[in-house]
Amino acid sequence: MASPGVMSTVSPTSSAGSDEARRPAAAVTEERKRKRKESNRLSAQRSRARKQQQLDELAGQVAALRARNGALALAAREAARRCAAVRAENELLRARSVELAARLDSLTGLARCLHDAAAASSSFAAPVLLPPMAAATAFPGAVGHGFVMPQPPLLDATTMPCNYY
């Protein structure tokens, strides 16, 4: 303890000087806080702007993708329609091919029957054999058979030995 007659060494002027020294330090600290708050506020504002820009870009991508999806769906429907039309046409052509093959077989049988009848009932010589190209020119339906059918004499229904149809 200090003695009653002795004054303290701390003078009121020095204490006032330290308050003044503290005031500028407090002001500096307050200024730093204010600058930090301002910086944080600007940073948050930039962050919100970036997020908004990203959202706008994503919304644009969504719209573009939806439009593209619609166009692709339309193209897919059109391709499916064309595919169905081609399949139907293929089936029709297959049926026609079967019909024409049956007609060709029938005509070939008829030609063979007429040839046999002509050979049996008249004095015709054997059929003239031609190369495949000449046969194709003479009888387009007989391509690859290598013969040309001679013209038989006119026959009536009673002398014709084969039945067809």
Side-chain angles (χ1 to χ4, degrees):
M1 282 209 179
S3 53
V6 178
M7 295 276 296
S8 112
T9 57
V10 177
S11 67
T13 55
S14 66
S15 156
S18 73
D19 277 343
E20 287 175 14
R22 284 185 190 155
R23 282 186 192 154
V28 168
T29 305
E30 287 299 318
E31 181 65 22
R32 284 184 186 160
K33 283 182 182 178
R34 188 190 62 75
K35 283 184 180 178
R36 191 172 348 117
K37 282 182 180 181
E38 179 67 18
S39 174
N40 286 346
R41 186 179 61 77
L42 291 174
S43 177
Q45 189 176 13
R46 285 191 303 268
S47 176
R48 285 190 297 273
R50 275 193 309 270
K51 278 187 178 181
Q52 185 61 45
Q53 183 181 5
Q54 287 174 345
L55 238 96
D56 293 344
E57 288 173 2
L58 289 174
Q61 286 178 0
V62 165
L65 288 173
R66 283 189 177 149
R68 185 174 179 210
N69 192 22
L72 288 174
L74 180 65
R77 285 191 301 274
E78 177 62 21
R81 185 194 61 76
R82 285 193 320 251
C83 183
V86 167
R87 282 186 178 155
E89 185 179 0
N90 281 345
E91 288 300 317
L92 189 81
L93 290 173
R94 279 190 191 102
R96 181 143 168 91
S97 173
V98 168
E99 174 192 343
L100 290 174
R103 284 179 65 187
L104 178 62
D105 286 345
S106 175
L107 289 173
T108 303
L110 177 63
R112 195 174 296 124
C113 184
L114 289 174
H115 178 266
D116 292 346
S121 68
S122 71
S123 61
F124 276 109
V128 179
L129 294 178
L130 294 177
M133 283 307 290
T137 308
F139 292 101
V143 174
H145 296 298
F147 68 90
V148 174
M149 183 67 64
Q151 290 295 325
L154 293 175
L155 301 175
D156 61 15
T158 59
T159 61
M160 196 158 172
C162 60
N163 294 325
Y164 60 93
Y165 287 98

